[in-house]
Amino acid sequence: MAHTARVGDRLSEKLDAIEPVRGLLDQFAESLAMVLESMAEQRPEAKWLAASGPIADVVADPQDQMLWWEQPLQFAPEMKIWVGAPRTAWEKAGTVTLKAAGLDRVGIDEARNTWLEILGQALSPVARAVGSVLGREVTCDAGAERAPEAGIAEWARVSLSFPDAPLAPLLVAFSPKLLEVIVTPPHVEEQGGELATVTPTAVEAETALSPARSRTMNLLLDVDLPVSISFGRTQLPMKDVIKLTTGSIVELNRSVNEPVEVFVNQCLIARGEVVVVEGNYGVRILEIVSRQERIRSLR
């Protein structure tokens, strides 16, 4: 009798041997390349390879200081993604991005913060991809600079190559709980007397107790919403408003180098830069704002 592989057996496999995990890594590499293209105006080639062993064995250059970012997902705190970037990689990516924005000189702190912003935008689609596997919304929670937990032995080495130079590879790791949830089907069924998965986890139990997605959601997707772009704001005394005539200039509270804001139904959802598309103005999205910012914009 053929026996179905248990989750514990699957988690011991290399990341490139687990189809749902391959999809997440493909999504991360593609998202990272797209974010860098939109912000640095040049698209790097991004690809990944699986690696096994302790960190010391998989880091390309032990002397190249790693900047680790721990990204938990809001669905469950144990579901985490770690991304480690060698200093030469994040400094290069941050510098290229800021110089594309018009800065002549880039400090190390500026490059570091820019890299973390790039990383945050690249991880958001990965969270949505996790949600598509689970059949519910999954978003990124507040992350922190933190190295992976002890015992992580399966990695993905993500290589980025700009036209002028390749970067030292990044390291990506998933927490055991995230891998377990991705590998385990949402519903555990008995097949030939054997369980296809382990006993449902706490995360699966939460999924079972959560409200089912509305069947009328597809109807809402066709609803038209007003979209507006804000270049800035200001306040003027009534006496100055009355004096406004043709040719008057009103100074806004945003410089020409700052991104414009995108509002949908009077709710801030994104920031971007103004572009021209076939003679019409448009906005290239650079950042999707957090849920907290969206709520604050409604006040």
Side-chain angles (χ1 to χ4, degrees), residues 241-254:
V241 175
I242 296 175
K243 295 177 183 177
L244 292 177
T245 61
T246 302
S248 297
I249 296 177
V250 178
E251 184 178 355
L252 303 178
N253 63 342
R254 183 176 291 116

Side-chain angles (χ1 to χ4, degrees), residues 196-255:
T197 62
V198 295
T199 303
T201 62
V203 172
E204 294 167 346
E206 181 183 339
T207 304
L209 294 174
S210 62
R213 181 174 293 181
S214 172
R215 295 182 180 179
T216 61
M217 184 62 186
N218 289 337
L219 297 176
L220 296 178
L221 296 179
D222 293 327
V223 175
D224 291 332
L225 296 175
V227 178
S228 59
I229 308 301
S230 171
F231 286 82
R233 297 179 176 83
T234 191
Q235 289 185 333
L236 294 174
M238 178 62 72
K239 61 181 181 180
D240 293 337
V241 175
I242 296 175
K243 295 177 183 177
L244 292 177
T245 61
T246 302
S248 297
I249 296 177
V250 178
E251 184 178 355
L252 303 178
N253 63 342
R254 183 176 291 116
S255 72

Side-chain angles (χ1 to χ4, degrees), residues 151-165:
I152 300 293
E154 296 300 328
W155 313 83
R157 299 178 66 176
V158 181
S159 299
L160 292 174
S161 297
F162 282 98
D164 58 342

Side-chain angles (χ1 to χ4, degrees), residues 14 49-63 66 68 152-157 169-171:
K14 284 191 174 184
L49 293 172
S52 300
I55 295 179
D57 293 345
V58 294
V59 171
D61 183 0
Q63 303 301 320
M66 298 287 288
W68 284 103
I152 300 293
E154 296 300 328
W155 313 83
R157 299 178 66 176
L170 315 177
L171 285 183

Side-chain angles (χ1 to χ4, degrees), residues 1-7 9 189-192 194-197:
M1 178 186 299
H3 297 282
T4 304
R6 295 181 180 273
V7 173
D9 298 331
E189 297 181 355
E190 187 170 349
Q191 301 176 356
E194 293 285 334
L195 287 180
T197 62

